[in-house]
Structure formats: C-alpha cells, structure tokens
Amino acid sequence: MNYEIAKEPINVQSVIDKVVQRDAGAITTFIGTVREMTKGKKTLYLIYDAYEPMAVKKLEQIGTEIQERWNGAQVAITHRVGRLDITDIAVVIAVSTPHRNDAYEANRYAIERIKEIVPIWKKEHWEDGQEWIGNQLETVPYPTGKPEEKDLNE
Amino acid sequence: MNYEIAKEPINVQSVIDKVVQRDAGAITTFIGTVREMTKGKKTLYLIYDAYEPMAVKKLEQIGTEIQERWNGAQVAITHRVGRLDITDIAVVIAVSTPHRNDAYEANRYAIERIKEIVPIWKKEHWEDGQEWIGNQLETVPYPTGKPEEKDLNE
Amino acid sequence: MNKVLFFAHLRDEAGHESVEIEAAGKTVAELKQIIAEKYGVQKLDTSMTAINEEFSSNDEVINEGDTVAFIPPVSGG
Amino acid sequence: MNKVLFFAHLRDEAGHESVEIEAAGKTVAELKQIIAEKYGVQKLDTSMTAINEEFSSNDEVINEGDTVAFIPPVSGG
C-alpha cells in the first residue's frame, strides 16, 4: 500500500515509514499544502476529486518509473481527496535512496509526473466563485488524446 | 528555535511544524539517515560530534542565506549528535515556500551548505576499525583557512 | 454496453457522473463526437481518454464492456 | 589567556578537548605552528579556524580572551 488516495488527513510520518531502508542515506519528502494567496487571489478552500482506481495505478506507475531510473529507490505517495482548508496537506511524496542527489531528483520527478498523468483534479473556491483548475487553464491540450512521455531529468 | 543540535532522536513532524505557513504551497524535507553499506564497507554505527554553539549559529546562517535567495522561504534544521545506528536520523531539514521548485532547491542548498560550513563531524565504526570522516578524506584543504562562499544554485 | 465516466468540469457540463452508452466498435474520437452532441459537453478535445483505466489515443477502438473515462487536464499535487 | 578547542581527529591527536594558551597578538598561522609543535598535532593546515565561533583566515590576529577552535573538514549531514 505504498500508493494511496486518502479521504482523511495524511500522516506524514506514516508515509515516510514506508520508505525506510538500511541502504538509504537520504529520504526526501514533498508535502503539497493548500496556499492561501495565488496571484493576488485569496483561496478559501479546495475540493480534490480523483478517478480513484486509475489514480492509484498511475501513482504505482510513477513509483515503477522512479525505481527504473534511480537505483535502489523506495517510493511512497499518498494524495488526499475531499475538502482541504488552507495549510492542509494535499499530497505527500517520500523517496529514499542510497545517495542524496537521487532522493531530491526522484522526488521532484514524482511531483511533476503527478501533475501530468494522475487523474486528480482540484476545484478552487474563492470569495467570488469557484472553478475546476485545469493544467494552467488548459493551455496544454493533448493532440493525441493522451500525455506524451517526457524526460524530466535534464 | 528553528535551528537545533539534538542529543535525542529527532521527531520529523516537529521540524515540519516549524515551517507551516499559509503562504506555502510546498514543504520539502530532507532526512539524512545512517546507511549500512558505503562502497562495499559495512557500517555498524556512527558517532556525531559538534561544536554546538557554533553549529547552531551556522545553521542559522544557512537559514538566513536561504531567506535572502528564495522569497518567502521558512526553514528549520535539526541535527543530531551522539551514537546513531543504521536507519537512525542524523539530520532533518524542512523548507516551505510558496512554489514547489523553490522548496526543492532551497532544501538542497541547505544540505550542501551543512556539509561545507557547519562544525559537525562523524566517526564511522566498522567491524575492523573506526575513523573520523573528513570532507572526502580531506581532499579539500582550505588554503585561506576558511571555506569560500560558493554559489550552489546553477 | 459501455460505461462512460466524467470528471471535474466535464461532470458539471454533462450533468452526470457516468452514463451507459453503446460504443463497441467506435473509436475514441467517434465517441467524443457522440458525447459532445448528446450531452452538450465542450472541451472533450482538450481531454485525455482512458479505456479501462489506461490512457488511450483518439484512434483506439472501444470494445464491448470497456469503461471509458474522459479526463480533463489534471491538477493534483 | 586564550582557550583553544580541538574537534574530531585533532582532539584525538592533541589528547585534549581544549587547552589554555597565551596567543594574544599572534596570527592564526602562528598559533597553528605553536600548537603543531607543542601538542604534536598534524593536519592543522587542512583545518579551518574559528575565533569566537566565526571562521577566520590564517592571517587574522588573535585578541586577549578570544576562543580559538580548530575545525577539521566537516562531515555532518
């Protein structure tokens, strides 16, 4: 159960615990939190929705991609759905590797891939309205109907 | 007390709690753990020692450097001293920023600076001996008697 | 029959979480056109499509019993 | 008088955590030479020096009451 969609608040330590290993010298975590101000606009709260079974599969796929690229990596990801208030945790990504550079790079790869291929959406609620947020307001159409594999590890 | 030298096990969540802020969209943590195998050699345990008052000052300096370079960053660092066994946590670095790229970069900057300027040393204990570890076996002498400021943010 | 799932703003537009439709033998592109007309759903061209929880291209053919999901640009993380 | 602190392998070599020595008016480089001779400490040339918990260069002059620490290449993290 290293890849989960959670309906309740995420316990960061429990995600970290899944990647502890004797051959790790480094564990990185990314914790995505709900920010109040974005481009001068005040967010009240967010609703996250997911296509759950596919989202779990895609998180697993990201973990597999990481283990193929970074030797000895262990990965755990939990993404929350439902209503989240300011400073609440939306996602926790934990990656352990023998050496620290890999732990940073693999972790960053994970969040970028989540934003590309994992079917999760957020609806922002402001004082004056609400909107489902697309990939930067849908400036990225998918001409082939599916996302292209991109190499994020330059 | 965002910068600490600890004699007891570090609670990761308590370090994270210090950087939670309403304007953060991302919190990264780096957790340095004691790895069993290094270049085919088996570590039994480590002893960390620090020049404590100066180490705290230097951790504070790193935090200040980060806040000058990454707008809106909050930083907390705790480094443990004493005997650490395999998988024990030596250091926790937590950084929160409005946007995620900054959180990764600032966190990585912190660990690199710790390895340059914070007076903390580890003694490795193997089955066949023990040794104080220098900066890659002292391949880095300091001709001027002090470390040079380097820009790690390429 | 095939189950078709909508998410995010597509769900709001369609007014349904899912619908049952006969789509076997049709391509994803053809199904998109049918759905656009029947349910008044815009922006299917900027959506990805998943068949049985795997991303599919527009020219993939849908089989009997497949579950098709229209997936707007994602915004998790 | 001045307090001089040793850490890591320098402490093992010196056989002391700290010593009291009269170093006022001397440069860091001069003090290093004295310490090397008096306590048989090698590798001071690859060590950094801190005066009152701030890194100092070899040509800095030590004042009465300053605490001097020799800081081998660090290995925290």
Side-chain angles (χ1 to χ4, degrees):
Chain A
M1 297 266 288
N2 276 31
Y3 306 95
E4 292 187 55
I5 300 296
K7 291 181 179 64
E8 302 299 322
I10 304 170
N11 180 304
V12 176
Q13 187 62 52
S14 75
V15 182
I16 293 170
D17 288 343
K18 296 176 187 175
V19 303
V20 170
Q21 51 168 330
R22 296 178 73 82
D23 285 337
I27 302 172
T28 52
T29 71
F30 175 85
I31 302 165
T33 55
V34 179
R35 184 179 57 229
E36 183 159 45
M37 299 303 293
T38 296
K39 293 176 184 160
K41 210 166 175 184
K42 188 174 177 177
T43 297
L44 299 180
Y45 63 95
L46 301 180
I47 305 283
Y48 277 94
D49 191 18
Y51 181 14
E52 285 198 32
M54 182 171 170
V56 170
K57 277 189 188 173
K58 291 291 134 185
L59 293 175
E60 284 170 352
Q61 176 187 326
I62 292 168
T64 302
E65 288 174 5
I66 287 172
Q67 291 180 312
E68 285 167 0
R69 285 163 192 247
W70 287 278
N71 205 20
Q74 296 283 343
V75 185
I77 307 174
T78 300
H79 201 299
R80 194 172 160 198
V81 292
R83 179 191 158 124
L84 277 77
D85 294 310
I86 307 304
T87 78
D88 279 355
I89 296 171
V91 62
V92 177
I93 303 166
V95 177
S96 66
T97 60
H99 300 283
R100 68 184 182 282
N101 283 345
D102 288 353
Y104 283 110
E105 286 175 19
N107 197 302
R108 200 164 181 165
Y109 177 86
I111 185 66
E112 299 300 333
R113 287 295 274 163
I114 286 171
K115 288 171 180 288
E116 284 179 350
I117 67 163
V118 181
I120 300 174
W121 300 270
K122 70 174 166 190
K123 191 175 199 171
E124 290 234 25
H125 289 255
W126 304 284
E127 280 166 340
D128 60 350
Q130 57 193 54
E131 191 176 359
W132 286 105
I133 305 300
N135 191 345
Q136 276 77 47
L137 300 175
E138 303 181 16
T139 54
V140 184
Y142 297 92
T144 68
K146 61 179 179 178
E148 308 292 324
E149 169 93 19
K150 268 185 267 172
D151 187 354
L152 297 164
N153 304 305
E154 295 139 4
Chain B
M1 296 265 290
N2 276 32
Y3 306 95
E4 291 188 56
I5 300 296
K7 292 180 178 64
E8 302 299 325
I10 304 170
N11 179 304
V12 176
Q13 187 62 52
S14 75
V15 182
I16 293 171
D17 288 343
K18 295 175 187 174
V19 303
V20 171
Q21 51 168 331
R22 295 177 74 82
D23 285 337
I27 301 172
T28 53
T29 70
F30 176 85
I31 302 165
T33 55
V34 178
R35 184 179 56 230
E36 184 158 46
M37 301 301 293
T38 296
K39 292 175 185 162
K41 210 167 175 181
K42 187 174 176 176
T43 297
L44 300 181
Y45 63 95
L46 301 180
I47 304 284
Y48 277 94
D49 193 18
Y51 181 14
E52 286 197 33
M54 183 171 169
V56 171
K57 277 189 188 174
K58 291 290 133 186
L59 293 176
E60 286 170 351
Q61 177 187 325
I62 291 168
T64 302
E65 288 174 5
I66 286 173
Q67 291 180 312
E68 285 166 0
R69 285 163 192 248
W70 287 278
N71 204 19
Q74 296 283 343
V75 185
I77 307 173
T78 300
H79 201 300
R80 193 171 161 199
V81 292
R83 178 191 159 126
L84 277 76
D85 295 309
I86 307 303
T87 79
D88 280 356
I89 295 172
V91 63
V92 176
I93 303 166
V95 177
S96 67
T97 60
H99 299 283
R100 68 183 184 283
N101 284 344
D102 288 353
Y104 283 110
E105 285 176 19
N107 197 302
R108 199 164 182 165
Y109 177 85
I111 186 66
E112 299 301 332
R113 288 295 275 164
I114 286 172
K115 289 172 180 287
E116 284 178 351
I117 67 163
V118 180
I120 299 175
W121 301 269
K122 71 174 165 190
K123 191 175 199 171
E124 290 234 25
H125 289 255
W126 305 284
E127 278 165 340
D128 61 349
Q130 57 193 56
E131 191 176 358
W132 285 104
I133 304 300
N135 189 344
Q136 277 76 46
L137 300 175
E138 302 181 17
T139 52
V140 183
Y142 297 92
T144 66
K146 62 178 177 179
E148 309 290 326
E149 170 94 18
K150 266 184 270 171
D151 186 355
L152 296 164
N153 303 307
E154 295 138 5
Chain C
M1 287 296 280
N2 297 90
K3 192 169 192 180
V4 176
L5 308 176
F6 300 106
F7 292 98
H9 67 80
L10 295 181
R11 178 176 296 178
D12 295 344
E13 281 189 81
H16 299 276
E17 294 196 8
S18 67
V19 297
E20 298 280 335
I21 197 167
E22 189 57 73
K26 296 190 168 60
T27 64
V28 166
E30 287 165 349
L31 178 61
K32 279 186 176 180
Q33 203 162 353
I34 293 166
I35 295 286
E37 288 165 12
K38 187 160 180 185
Y39 297 97
V41 178
Q42 312 292 319
K43 295 186 183 168
L44 277 175
D45 52 328
T46 60
S47 288
M48 300 182 269
T49 308
I51 298 179
N52 301 330
E53 302 170 8
E54 275 304 328
F55 287 112
S56 305
S57 60
N58 278 329
D59 51 12
E60 202 147 329
V61 175
I62 297 158
N63 292 315
E64 169 60 26
D66 282 351
T67 296
V68 181
F70 294 115
I71 298 187
V74 303
S75 51
Chain D
M1 287 295 279
N2 297 89
K3 193 169 191 179
V4 176
L5 308 176
F6 301 106
F7 292 97
H9 67 79
L10 295 180
R11 178 177 296 178
D12 296 343
E13 282 189 80
H16 299 276
E17 295 195 7
S18 68
V19 296
E20 298 277 336
I21 197 168
E22 188 56 74
K26 296 190 169 60
T27 65
V28 166
E30 288 166 348
L31 178 62
K32 279 186 175 180
Q33 201 162 356
I34 292 165
I35 294 287
E37 286 165 11
K38 188 161 178 186
Y39 297 97
V41 178
Q42 312 292 318
K43 296 186 182 168
L44 277 176
D45 52 328
T46 60
S47 289
M48 299 181 269
T49 308
I51 298 178
N52 302 330
E53 303 170 6
E54 275 303 330
F55 287 113
S56 305
S57 60
N58 279 329
D59 52 11
E60 203 147 327
V61 175
I62 297 156
N63 292 314
E64 170 62 24
D66 282 350
T67 296
V68 181
F70 293 116
I71 297 186
V74 302
S75 51

